[in-house]
Amino acid sequence: MLSSRNYMIAKSSLSRATAAPTLSVLSSASGIPHGSSSLLRDHGDGNFHKQQKRSFLGIVHAIDKRVYRWAKGVLPPISKTENIALGCGTIGFDRDIFGGSPSLQKLIDTYQPKLTPEEESFLANQVTRLCSLLSDHDVVTKKDFTKEAWDYMRDEKFFGMKIPKEWGGLGFSTQAVSAVLAKLATQCFDANATVAVPNSLGPGELLVRYGTPEQKEYFLPRLANGTLIPCFGLTGPHSGSDATSLIGSHCVVQKHPKTGELGVVATFKKRYITLAPVAGVVGLGLNLQDPDGLLGGEGEEGFTVALLERGHEGLRMGPRHIPLSAAFMNGTVEGEDVWIPMTSILGGQSRCGFGWNMFVECLAEGRGVSLPAGSIGAARSVVAGVGAYSRVRKQFRVPIAEFGGIQEAMAKAGSDGLITIAGGDVMNAIVDNHEAPMVISSVMKQNCTERGRRIVECGMDVAAGSAICRGDKNYIGNAYMSLPIAITVEGANIMTRSFQIIGQGLTRCHPHMSDLLRALQLPPSQEKEAVQTFVKQFHKIVGHGVSNFFYSVTRGIGATMSTTFRSKKAYKSGNDLLSHHEKQLLRLSANFALTADLCFTLGGRLKFEELLMGRLADALGAIYLGYATLHHYQRRQGIQGLEALTEHAMLRLEREAQDALYAASENFPGPLGTVASTVMKMGCFPLGGFTRPYAEPGDDLTKEVSRLLTTPSEIRDMFQEGIYSAPEGTTHQMTDLIRALPICVEADRVATSIRREKREPTSEETDLIAKADALRDALIQVDVFEHATAEEAQPGYVRPALLGTEERFAKMDKIVFREAA
């Protein structure tokens, strides 16, 4: 990559080096003394001026060509995989952020998440029924679902929600799939993971897009009705988050020695493959090689996807991993010298080498939808269940919801929950708009799974002992142990944040960078066209940086003034809430865009500056989720208390973006790092600390948000929209807490009134307080087990520690205190 400073220095020095000799040659050829201005003025026919103009343009073109060749020489080669990635997926709102001036109104007008009546019915009936069949504790203890639950998921097409109806699937929207997964997560995280894979990275969606007619006709109906459970085999022992490496998974094009049929011989060793132990078909990622040219121009070498059914000769599936305490099926897929006919290559022979395109374009749904849905479910569970628990549970005769530490944890969980739900709604609508946003999906995966972990940590801190004792009464413990898995899979968050989001975003979403990079990749035969494109795009990049510097300064000062003098209660006006925070996001977007432009001073070294890229990923994530949160408010305004919760969320997001950008300006790397840092500070924070006005929410707002989340309110109703609620008469801890909340709150109100008025309670008040006390006593209990393991349940079993005690007492004369006294 080429910095604007290097380009201008090169162009200026080349101009000085070539201009004087050229003018000397021109002067000698025309008989005009070099430097004779009078003769130049007296040359009336203008030919000399034309000649001078042509010569000047020639000089400029020569300079442009030299700079282009220099840039081409210093730019690291772009691999075939990187080239494919640059062309895969779509860009939209992410490009607007990189441009520096995104539009909230455009976001609102373009993306409207919604469910059809059929999808709402499925959520209310089939999903509720499946939840009722699942005991989270039993699933985790037995490491599997019951056959009844497996059969129900198959019969009701839970594995075929995204398969079109014409092939026997449900043909649901992305919003519906997300809602189903989130609701399942409120009851059983393992059900969430099990249903997610076939509806995201399972081969079903790949078959719909790329399968041959024969493959579609055979596989899709069987996937839709659950006859075949799918999995996708990509990651190997040496791949980790670098899924494209395919180390240890290769195949060679050959002809069958007996039949002469064209196919491949493959060797592969996959691990971490969800559903592999029970899958009937696997989509297998392989690195295809064709040393003998047998493809004959139909298809090519590279990443290729094969479809193998369980029982395929040489294919081994079945051994399990056990991810932490989770029960969802996860294991290995292996084989050596496995014969795979061309008819089993997804899409047929013509799609050989096309696997990366398939994978990248379908990855958005798994990373951007399925994984964040688990965090959405966790957020709903914590607000609904733990919020109620904090009122039911008393210490020092006071509900713990009145303690400041509890209020802080609940407010953070609530605003992070709102952010995650809002981000999910916009992401779902983007995908339903037939877009595949690679950068936004990475932001969603990294940011929302991390927020999900924080949400559950807050819930664990509040629920305390009741959250660490396992059993049917524990409704968040398994989520706490499952979220690190979501953070790890499909590209570990630490890699996604510090490399992928900005590395891909700069090249894919910057308004001018992708065209400039393509110009630098053109062959020498197209150099003339390449130079023209390069110069045009380079000037645009410089202009883009200048305009964003101007916007950063002007918007920064304006945003600082409006933030400094804004009333702490101004958020109560919905119009002020929207307009104020949109201005802050516009300012931060210009700051981010300016910083992105300054990254070009690093050239190819940028890909190694992961600390910088991580900070910029934090800023980008906060900006995108800020717009999503305002989008959510615009759609749902009218819910009482939503202004306070949205304000709390926006203040935190603006602080996150500000801190990330400031840390980047303090640590900008590279040979020009000092210059870039100075420019960034002048643009983003022109008045120093005064133009860093964003702070964490104040205590009054935190207390108000916590009150809304821990007492009956429309905000709680909003969070409870997507959770599993057990039928009346069924013991279910989270449902029982939710139903007990209004009774306990009313009983506390009555008890306070009685104390204040110094009177005796009425019989109705006595009954209410007694009912609340009974509920409290029941709901703070935790599970107790006579036997923790199957071994302990065996007749005559004695715990080893007690056996040791008996052995020691057997050697003593006196074995009880009374005898020794």
Side-chain angles (χ1 to χ4, degrees), residues 200-280:
S200 54
L201 269 184
E205 189 173 359
L206 296 176
L207 277 162
V208 171
R209 295 192 188 189
Y210 306 110
T212 65
E214 295 78 13
Q215 289 169 347
K216 291 179 180 179
E217 186 174 348
Y218 177 81
F219 284 107
L220 288 176
R222 289 167 172 78
L223 290 169
N225 64 24
T227 300
L228 291 175
I229 295 173
C231 69
F232 195 90
L234 184 65
T235 306
H238 299 285
S239 298
S241 295
D242 182 15
T244 62
S245 65
L246 294 175
I247 298 171
S249 298
H250 59 272
C251 61
V252 178
V253 180
Q254 295 183 10
K255 288 186 177 181
H256 195 281
K258 294 182 180 180
T259 66
E261 179 185 8
L262 193 64
V264 300
V265 175
T267 295
F268 44 88
K269 190 174 183 179
K270 307 290 187 181
R271 68 180 183 187
Y272 309 141
I273 310 305
T274 299
L275 295 186
V278 296

Side-chain angles (χ1 to χ4, degrees), residues 436-484:
M438 297 309 301
V439 175
I440 288 181
S441 67
S442 296
V443 167
M444 283 294 298
K445 191 274 176 182
Q446 181 267 322
N447 211 300
C448 290
T449 54
E450 179 58 38
R451 288 184 194 277
R453 173 161 61 180
R454 295 178 202 164
I455 291 166
V456 175
E457 285 175 350
C458 287
M460 293 288 291
D461 288 348
V462 173
S466 68
I468 63 170
C469 292
R470 299 180 64 182
D472 288 328
K473 293 181 180 295
N474 190 332
Y475 52 93
I476 60 170
N478 290 329
Y480 176 74
M481 290 182 278
S482 295
L483 273 161

Side-chain angles (χ1 to χ4, degrees), residues 405-429:
I406 303 295
Q407 292 168 342
E408 184 178 30
M410 285 306 306
K412 286 182 177 178
S415 58
D416 272 335
L418 173 65
I419 291 166
T420 304
I421 291 169
D425 282 348
V426 174
M427 179 66 199
N428 298 339

Side-chain angles (χ1 to χ4, degrees), residues 50-92:
K50 293 178 182 178
Q51 186 179 10
Q52 187 182 41
K53 182 177 180 180
R54 286 195 300 269
S55 299
F56 177 74
L57 292 175
I59 294 169
V60 171
H61 181 68
I63 296 168
D64 290 339
K65 185 182 293 187
R66 291 191 186 188
V67 176
Y68 166 80
R69 289 176 178 174
W70 174 77
K72 192 176 180 71
V74 299
L75 180 72
I78 295 180
S79 68
K80 177 183 174 182
T81 298
E82 290 171 325
N83 260 323
I84 293 172
L86 285 174
C88 288
T90 61
I91 50 177

Side-chain angles (χ1 to χ4, degrees), residues 775-797:
L775 286 170
R776 284 190 163 102
D777 185 63
L779 291 172
I780 65 170
Q781 303 300 323
V782 297
D783 292 285
V784 179
F785 300 93
E786 289 291 334
H787 312 292
T789 66
E791 186 180 8
E792 282 191 5
Q794 297 298 315
Y797 175 84

